[in-house]
Amino acid sequence: MKVLASALSASILLLASIPSAVAFKPGDFKTCSQSGFCRRGRALASRAKDNAKTWHSPYSVDPQSLSLASDRASLTAPVKSELYPDINFNLEVRVHEDGVVRVRMDEVDGLRKRYDEAAKWALVAEPSISTHTQWKVGSSGARAVFGQQREHEVVVEFKPLRVVLNKNGKEQVVVNGRGLLHMEHFRNKTVEEPKVEISEEGSDTQEVFKVNPNAWFEGDSEDAYWEETFNSWTDSKPKGPESLSLDIDFPRHGHVYGIPQRATSLDLPTTTGEDPFFEDPYRFYNADVFEYLASGTTSLYGSVPVMHAHSADSTVAIFNAVGSETWIDIAHPTTQSTGTHWISESGILDLFILPGPSPTEVFRQYSGLTGVAPLPAHWALGYHQCRWNYVSSDDVRGVQKRFDEEDMPFDVLWLDIEYSKDHQYMIWNQKTFPDPVEMTKDVAALGRKMVVIVDPHLKRTDDYPVYKQAQELGILVKQKNGQDDYEGWCWPGSSSWVDFFNPASWDFWRSLFKTTKGSGWSWTESTEDIHIWNDMNEPSVFNGPEITMPKDLIHYGNWEHRDIHNINGMFLPKITSEGLVVRGETPKRPFVLTRSFFAGSQRYGAMWTGDNLGTWEHMAVGIKMVLANGIAGMTFGGSDVGGFFGNPESEMLVRWYWVGAFSPFFRAHAHLDSKRREPYLLAEPHKSTVRNILRLRYSLLPVWYTAFRETSVTGLPVLRPHYVMFPQDEAGFSIDDQFYVGSSGLLVKPVTRPGVTEETVYLPEDKIYYDYFTYHTYRASAKGHVVVPAALDQMPLLVRGGSIIPTRERPRRASSLMHRDPFTLRIALDSSLTARGELYLDDGVTYAYKQGHLTWRGLSVSVDKKTSRGVAAELRLSNVDLAVAAPRAAVEGDALVEFRPENPFQTGIGSVRVERVVILGLGGKPKRVAVEGGRDLEWEFELGVAAGARGDSDGVASVLTIKDPSLGVASDWAIRISL
C-alpha cells in the first residue's frame, strides 16, 4: 500500500503543479479578442454593418472562364478579388446524387498550399455526383434545379459572388449574402517602409503616409499577421495570415442547432446582433477544459462543424469541413431568420449544403457524407462502473463482488491511468496489478468486460517499448523545424505524441493490441475482453498554449498543427478500434471511448462530455450536450453520472442515475479526490432506488439495441429532441430537457433540480400517453403541458399511444446472461386502437449480422374487424419478419441483398418466447383472446381509461394481461382479441 500511496501522491503533485488543471480558469483559454484572426473577422463584420449602404463583396466570378463538367452537374470557375487582382482563386460547385450541394473555393498557384484534407478524413467516401442535374448559365449567374419535385435550386451569382439554395423559389441558405467572405491569400512578409519626409523651401516638413486602398475591407493594420502572443507563448506564424471568413445565413429559419461540443442550450443562443445572450462567438478548438462552466461558448473536447437550421416549414443544414480553430457568431435579424459568421484560421472553403427538407432527410444526408454510428456491442449499452482509480486487481475483484452481493447489474469495470507503470500505457504496474490477465478473466467469467485507458502521450524513456518503436519509426509529431521530435508535458512527465496523420503509424498502432506475441511488442498481458478508453486526445499538453500543442508544430505532409488541430482527436480512436477488431481470430465489435472528436468520429466509438462537476447545473446541461452531440452524429454519448469532480449528495446522485439510465452511454465516474460512490455504498432507500434504476435500464436493453440498429441505418440520433420528432410544432423548438428514445415511443423528462416531487412534461399532440410504471393516462391540455409525479424513486417516463415496448424483465447480473430470456410486450394503444413497434436482435458481439445472422421483427396491433357501426370488433396483434421484406434496410450500408429466415442466429433463438403481453387502453373486457388459428390464451383484464376516450379523461388505463402465450419472438404469429 505504501507503493500505491506513493503513486497516487505523485499524481496529485503533478496535478498541483499544473494550475490550469485544478479548476476552470478563463485566462487559460483565448477569447475572440485575444485571437488575431478572430479579431480581424469580427472587425470585418463590424465594417460591413457600419457601411451597409455601400458595402459589397470584392469577390466575383468571371463567367467567360466558367466551365461545366461533361455531366453538367459540376461547375468550375475562376474567382477574382478586387482587393488583389493578381491573386487567383477557384470555385467549384457540385450537386450530389442525394441533393447535397458542395461549394469549394481555394487559392490557386499561391505562394503556399492551403490545407485541403479536412473532408478527406471526415467523409466516409467521396460523394456521388448527380447524373440528372444540369447547370444553366446566364450573364449574371448559373443555376441548377434538382429534387424529386424539382423543388430545389442552387444559384451561383457572379458579381458579387453569392451562392444561394432555394426551395420553391424561396431562399433557404445564402452564402456570402452579407459580403463577409474573405480568404486571406498567402503573401511574403514585407519590411515596413520608413516614413518619407518632404520639405520645400519656405514650407514646414511633412510626413507622407502610404495609404492602404484595401483598408475599407481589410482594415488599416496587419493585426497579428506574422506573430501572436498569448500569456507566455508566442506563435511564430511562419505562413503569415491565411484565415477564412464566411457568412452563411438562413433567411427563413429562426432556430439553429448543433456545432458541438460546448455547454449551452440545444437551440443555440445568440452571440452578436441586438442584445446577444453571449458576448463571445462559439469556438471550435478542442481543448482539455477542467471543470468547465455549465453555460458558455467555450470550446470543449470535440468539434463537429455541422449546423441545423429549422423552422416549421423546413429543415436545412450546413457542414463546413474545416479542421483549424474556428469561431462562429450567431444572430437573429428577425425572429424567423438566422445569420451566422464563420471565421477559421486556415484551410480552404469546403462547404456542404444539406437541403433537407425535413430533419429525417438532413440526418440521412449528413450520415451519407460522414457515416453512421455503427451497431455497438450489446454489452456496451449496459452500465459502466469507473473511477480514477480502482487501485489494484484486488480492488477490481472487490468491486465486482459487492455489486453481485447487492444484486446490482453492471457490464463493465474501468481502469484509469494508475493501472500503468509510471503512466506507460499498456504496461501494468506489477506491484498493484500483478495478475492482469487472471483479473480480467475473473471479470469475464461473470459475463463482463473491462475498459482500460490508453492515452496518446508516450513517456519519453527507452524502456517503454511503445515510445521506443514509435521513435525508431519516425512517426512522432515534430517541432516547428520539422526535424526534431516534439517534447511536451503530460501525466508521465516528458512525453511525445504519435503523428496519426502519418500512414506509417497506423499498422504500428493496430499491432499493439495483439494479445499474442508477434514480431514487435504488443500487449500480450491483455485479453479480448479488454476494451479501450482514449482520453487526453485533443491533445492535452500540460505545458502547452491553452493546454495543448503549439500551432507551429509539424505533422506528416508538412502541415502545421494549426491546420489539423480539431481533426487530430479522431485518429486515436479510429486506429485503436481498428486494432481491436483485428486482434483476434474472429473479428469482434470493439468498444472505444473518446474524449476528443471531429466530424466522422461517430464511426469509431462512443464519446462522453468530459470532466463535468457534481452539480445540478452540470447534470442539466449534460442532457443538452448529449442531444447536441447526437444531432452532429455523435449519438453514442453520455455524461458521467455523479459528475467527475465533487461529492454529490444522495439525492443528486440518485437523480443522476435516472439521467444516466436514459443516456445512450451510461457510465458513473469520479475523480481520485472524490469519495467512493459506487451505488452499493448508498444508504437506504437510495440504494434500492438505484438498484431499480439499473434493473430498468437492463430491462429496456431491447429498446436501446433496436434504436441503435435504426441509427446505424438512417443516421437518426438515438435520443431525439422535440424538433426532430415534431418538426412543425413551434412551441417545442427550444425544448431540450425532455426527449424521445429512438422510434420506441418512450418520452423521457429527467429531473435535474433538488426537492422535486412532480414535474411538468410537454405533450405536443392530441394523443394519449401512458405512465410507464403506473399506466396513468395523460393527454395534452390546451397549453400542451401535464404534471407528472416525480418523487426521488420516480421519473417522468411516458409511453406514446400507438407504441409497443419489448422488454426483458428478469434481473441478471450482466447483459450477456439475458440472451435466452423471454420477452414482455407493453402495448400502448392510441385512440384508433392501433400500435406498432420493432425488435432487433443479433449475437451482440461479432459482425455476423452483416451476413444476415439476425432477427428484425415488426410488432403491430390493428383493427381487423368492425361492427356495422364502425366500432372495432376484433384486434389483431402480429409479429412479422421485417428483414424478409426489406433486407437492405436491416443493417448499415445496404449490406444485405437478401435475408434467410433460417439463418443460424434466428434458428438458434427459436426457443426464446414472449412470456407476457400487456395491452393498455382497451375500451372494455374482451370476449376472447386466442392465437390465430389455434388455442385460447389465459388472460385477465382490469377496467380503466380507454385510449379512445374523449376529452381530458384522467386515471389509470385499462389493462389486458395475456399470460405466457409461449410464442417464439423470432417466429411469425398473430393473436386475435375479440371485443
Side-chain angles (χ1 to χ4, degrees):
M1 292 302 293
K2 289 181 180 179
V3 173
L4 175 61
S6 175
L8 290 177
S9 297
S11 294
I12 294 170
L13 286 172
L14 179 58
L15 252 176
S17 70
I18 312 300
S20 59
V22 174
F24 177 70
K25 292 186 177 181
D28 288 341
F29 305 97
K30 288 182 180 180
T31 61
C32 179
S33 64
Q34 296 169 310
S35 170
F37 77 92
C38 187
R39 284 197 304 271
R40 299 197 299 270
R42 266 197 158 181
L44 172 64
S46 294
R47 288 190 292 274
K49 181 179 178 182
D50 294 342
N51 300 279
K53 291 184 178 179
T54 59
W55 188 264
H56 66 280
S57 173
Y59 294 90
S60 61
V61 170
D62 178 6
Q64 301 303 317
S65 302
L66 181 147
S67 64
L68 300 178
S70 57
D71 57 14
R72 298 184 66 85
S74 300
L75 173 153
T76 304
V79 173
K80 286 289 187 178
S81 168
E82 66 183 70
L83 305 178
Y84 301 96
D86 295 333
I87 304 300
N88 298 311
F89 302 92
N90 187 71
L91 175 73
E92 182 180 13
V93 183
R94 306 173 183 172
V95 181
H96 295 173
E97 195 66 47
D98 61 357
V100 171
V101 176
R102 186 176 189 178
V103 182
R104 284 171 55 96
M105 180 173 149
D106 194 2
E107 185 177 349
V108 179
D109 299 326
L111 292 176
R112 301 173 186 86
K113 180 176 174 59
R114 301 181 74 93
Y115 185 72
D116 60 357
E117 295 182 353
K120 169 184 173 181
W121 306 119
L123 299 184
V124 70
E126 188 64 25
S128 299
I129 307 300
S130 173
T131 57
H132 49 269
T133 299
Q134 294 188 348
W135 289 89
K136 294 183 178 180
V137 181
S139 59
S140 61
R143 62 192 63 236
V145 178
F146 58 97
Q148 290 185 349
Q149 281 80 43
R150 313 289 288 170
E151 71 276 21
H152 286 114
E153 176 189 51
V154 59
V155 179
V156 178
E157 298 176 5
F158 294 156
K159 189 172 183 179
L161 171 61
R162 190 170 177 261
V163 180
V164 182
L165 175 72
N166 294 322
K167 179 191 173 192
N168 296 325
K170 296 180 179 180
E171 292 182 343
Q172 306 292 302
V173 183
V174 179
V175 179
N176 199 34
R178 287 179 283 144
L180 304 185
L181 169 64
H182 188 34
M183 182 174 282
E184 293 179 331
H185 67 279
F186 288 119
R187 64 201 77 188
N188 291 316
K189 187 175 183 180
T190 57
V191 179
E192 184 176 348
E193 296 181 5
K195 299 171 184 176
V196 179
E197 294 187 355
I198 301 177
S199 61
E200 297 180 2
E201 187 177 347
S203 67
D204 295 331
T205 299
Q206 296 180 336
E207 292 183 345
V208 177
F209 295 88
K210 186 177 181 179
V211 176
N212 178 7
N214 299 329
W216 69 273
F217 190 83
E218 291 188 309
D220 54 10
S221 67
E222 293 187 353
D223 182 9
Y225 273 21
W226 299 98
E227 186 176 271
E228 187 168 350
T229 299
F230 175 69
N231 291 340
S232 61
W233 294 279
T234 297
D235 177 8
S236 63
K237 294 193 175 180
K239 295 186 293 182
E242 54 174 318
S243 73
L244 173 64
S245 164
L246 181 68
D247 58 290
I248 307 171
D249 294 342
F250 308 98
R252 287 175 171 77
H253 300 84
H255 301 266
V256 287
Y257 313 94
I259 60 168
Q261 187 187 39
R262 61 204 79 255
T264 190
S265 303
L266 179 67
D267 189 352
L268 291 165
T270 56
T271 63
T272 188
E274 186 176 347
D275 193 24
F277 188 86
F278 293 120
E279 294 183 357
D280 233 33
Y282 296 101
R283 189 187 189 199
F284 279 140
Y285 195 64
N286 296 352
D288 182 358
V289 186
F290 275 60
E291 298 188 357
Y292 54 85
L293 300 178
S295 177
T297 61
T298 302
S299 182
L300 298 180
Y301 312 96
S303 298
V304 185
V306 63
M307 177 182 284
H308 289 203
H310 184 71
S311 71
D313 293 328
S314 69
T315 310
V316 294
I318 58 100
F319 167 45
N320 188 11
V322 61
S324 63
E325 178 186 354
T326 298
W327 300 78
I328 307 165
D329 266 322
I330 295 176
H332 293 304
T334 70
T335 58
Q336 303 300 317
S337 65
T338 304
T340 71
H341 182 199
W342 299 63
I343 312 165
S344 300
E345 184 170 19
S346 68
I348 67 169
L349 192 166
D350 198 353
L351 181 70
F352 298 81
I353 303 174
L354 286 59
S358 68
T360 298
E361 284 298 298
V362 164
F363 287 118
R364 181 184 63 80
Q365 291 154 3
Y366 180 68
S367 63
L369 292 171
T370 67
V372 295
L375 193 62
H378 186 271
W379 57 263
L381 303 183
Y383 172 61
H384 299 243
Q385 181 62 47
C386 183
R387 76 171 277 112
W388 180 23
N389 206 87
Y390 291 120
V391 298
S392 67
S393 53
D394 287 341
D395 194 6
V396 167
R397 292 182 175 100
V399 171
Q400 173 162 261
K401 181 180 178 182
R402 286 296 310 276
F403 266 94
D404 290 341
E405 289 174 346
E406 298 290 347
D407 290 328
M408 290 183 168
F410 80 98
D411 263 72
V412 194
L413 265 174
W414 290 54
L415 292 178
D416 212 317
I417 59 177
E418 309 305 340
Y419 80 91
S420 59
K421 175 188 174 184
D422 299 328
H423 300 144
Q424 299 176 44
Y425 305 110
M426 296 183 271
I427 305 294
W428 295 91
N429 183 336
Q430 292 296 326
K431 294 179 180 179
T432 51
F433 292 90
D435 57 346
V437 172
E438 289 72 18
M439 173 194 69
T440 304
K441 289 180 177 178
D442 287 346
V443 172
L446 298 178
R448 298 181 175 124
K449 307 291 182 182
M450 295 198 69
V451 170
V452 177
I453 198 167
V454 176
D455 285 349
H457 44 264
L458 305 181
K459 184 176 178 66
R460 291 170 59 92
T461 177
D462 287 347
D463 64 357
Y464 182 26
V466 179
Y467 165 74
K468 188 63 176 174
Q469 289 182 40
Q471 182 193 46
E472 292 172 350
L473 287 169
I475 56 173
L476 298 173
V477 176
K478 304 303 179 186
Q479 297 276 13
K480 62 183 179 181
N481 62 17
Q483 300 297 319
D484 302 322
D485 294 339
Y486 171 65
E487 178 182 1
W489 195 264
C490 208
W491 294 123
S494 177
S495 304
S496 285
W497 281 257
V498 173
D499 181 6
F500 285 109
F501 289 88
N502 187 337
S505 70
W506 301 345
D507 282 341
F508 158 72
W509 193 262
R510 293 182 191 112
S511 71
L512 297 178
F513 298 97
K514 290 285 187 182
T515 59
T516 55
K517 191 170 180 60
S519 57
W521 186 91
S522 66
W523 199 7
T524 55
E525 287 191 302
S526 178
T527 80
E528 291 187 40
D529 290 309
I530 287 181
H531 294 256
I532 302 300
W533 173 14
N534 289 151
D535 197 359
M536 313 291 282
N537 52 324
E538 295 76 24
S540 175
V541 182
F542 290 161
N543 64 334
E546 301 194 84
I547 319 178
T548 192
M549 283 183 175
K551 290 182 175 180
D552 50 10
L553 298 186
I554 301 299
H555 289 262
Y556 178 81
N558 207 37
W559 297 113
E560 283 190 294
H561 186 73
R562 82 181 71 250
D563 298 316
I564 54 82
H565 175 83
N566 290 335
I567 306 171
N568 183 83
M570 79 182 297
F571 275 96
L572 181 63
K574 175 184 186 295
I575 309 303
T576 298
S577 66
E578 292 169 356
L580 297 187
V581 171
V582 300
R583 65 180 168 178
E585 292 183 6
T586 301
K588 295 177 182 177
R589 287 176 248 175
F591 176 83
V592 176
L593 181 74
T594 182
R595 188 170 74 176
S596 187
F597 51 89
F598 184 65
S601 289
Q602 67 270 15
R603 305 194 296 267
Y604 310 122
M607 56 71 59
W608 91 109
T609 61
D611 296 339
N612 56 351
L613 280 73
T615 66
W616 292 100
E617 293 80 8
H618 270 255
M619 185 196 308
V621 80
I623 297 169
K624 307 172 196 294
M625 293 170 71
V626 171
L627 291 175
N629 288 326
I631 287 170
M634 299 298 296
T635 192
F636 195 2
S639 58
D640 281 336
V641 169
F644 181 56
F645 294 99
N647 295 296
E649 68 269 24
S650 296
E651 180 191 7
M652 183 191 300
L653 191 56
V654 171
R655 290 298 192 193
W656 218 316
Y657 269 95
W658 280 114
V659 173
F662 286 91
S663 300
F665 174 56
F666 182 14
R667 182 181 79 159
H669 188 32
H671 189 270
L672 62 83
D673 290 334
S674 299
K675 297 177 182 178
R676 285 281 182 120
R677 45 173 139 105
E678 288 77 16
Y680 52 71
L681 295 176
L682 286 165
E684 293 292 0
H686 302 126
K687 179 165 63 176
S688 291
T689 298
V690 173
R691 181 188 296 113
N692 291 335
I693 294 170
L694 294 173
R695 288 180 174 179
L696 175 64
R697 169 69 173 212
Y698 277 76
S699 70
L700 287 169
L701 283 179
V703 172
W704 288 101
Y705 201 57
T706 300
F708 266 93
R709 184 218 65 85
E710 184 182 12
T711 291
S712 72
V713 174
T714 66
L716 282 162
V718 172
L719 299 190
R720 297 184 188 165
H722 187 90
Y723 87 92
V724 174
M725 290 291 295
F726 303 97
Q728 295 180 318
D729 179 30
E730 295 191 35
F733 289 172
S734 296
I735 290 178
D736 55 13
D737 59 356
Q738 64 181 57
F739 52 84
Y740 289 80
V741 178
S743 298
S744 68
L746 288 177
L747 171 59
V748 185
K749 176 67 180 284
V751 176
T752 58
R753 295 171 291 120
V756 170
T757 59
E758 59 184 23
E759 188 61 273
T760 300
V761 180
Y762 177 70
L763 300 183
E765 55 189 338
D766 184 19
K767 185 183 285 283
I768 189 171
Y769 280 73
Y770 304 83
D771 187 293
Y772 182 85
F773 307 104
T774 67
Y775 304 151
H776 192 94
T777 59
Y778 297 93
R779 288 181 173 84
S781 64
K783 295 183 179 180
H785 294 91
V786 297
V787 176
V788 179
L792 191 56
D793 63 346
Q794 300 171 296
M795 184 194 69
L797 176 61
L798 306 182
V799 186
R800 188 184 183 200
S803 305
I804 299 178
I805 311 295
T807 63
R808 280 174 152 158
E809 302 289 338
R810 298 189 180 183
R812 301 291 187 186
R813 73 177 87 200
S815 66
S816 62
L817 307 177
M818 301 173 69
H819 292 319
R820 297 282 177 180
D821 284 354
F823 283 84
T824 292
L825 303 182
R826 280 183 176 82
I827 300 173
L829 297 176
D830 62 15
S831 58
S832 60
L833 301 185
T834 63
R836 68 172 304 277
E838 293 182 10
L839 174 64
Y840 175 83
L841 301 169
D842 59 31
D843 69 18
V845 177
T846 73
Y847 291 97
Y849 70 93
K850 291 189 175 183
Q851 282 74 53
H853 298 184
L854 57 86
T855 289
W856 181 28
R857 311 300 302 181
L859 304 162
S860 65
V861 174
S862 60
V863 177
D864 201 53
K865 293 181 181 179
K866 293 184 178 182
T867 67
S868 58
R869 295 180 297 168
V871 178
E874 187 171 81
L875 302 184
R876 184 175 186 267
L877 165 62
S878 63
N879 179 11
V880 299
D881 198 325
L882 295 178
V884 169
R888 290 186 181 274
V891 299
E892 70 260 29
D894 293 336
L896 290 182
V897 176
E898 61 177 330
F899 174 76
R900 293 188 304 108
E902 65 278 11
N903 71 80
F905 176 79
Q906 185 150 291
T907 56
I909 62 167
S911 62
V912 177
R913 73 188 196 284
V914 174
E915 70 171 351
R916 189 165 62 118
V917 178
V918 179
I919 301 178
L920 308 178
L922 286 176
K925 185 176 182 179
K927 298 175 182 176
R928 186 190 180 202
V929 179
V931 176
E932 187 173 82
R935 69 189 189 283
D936 283 6
L937 297 174
E938 183 181 355
W939 53 274
E940 60 183 29
F941 180 77
E942 297 179 28
L943 185 62
V945 175
R950 298 182 178 275
D952 297 326
S953 300
D954 198 8
V956 175
S958 65
V959 182
L960 169 65
T961 303
I962 304 173
K963 301 178 180 181
D964 199 8
S966 295
L967 298 170
V969 74
S971 303
D972 289 358
W973 48 259
I975 295 175
R976 290 190 173 273
I977 304 165
S978 301
L979 303 176

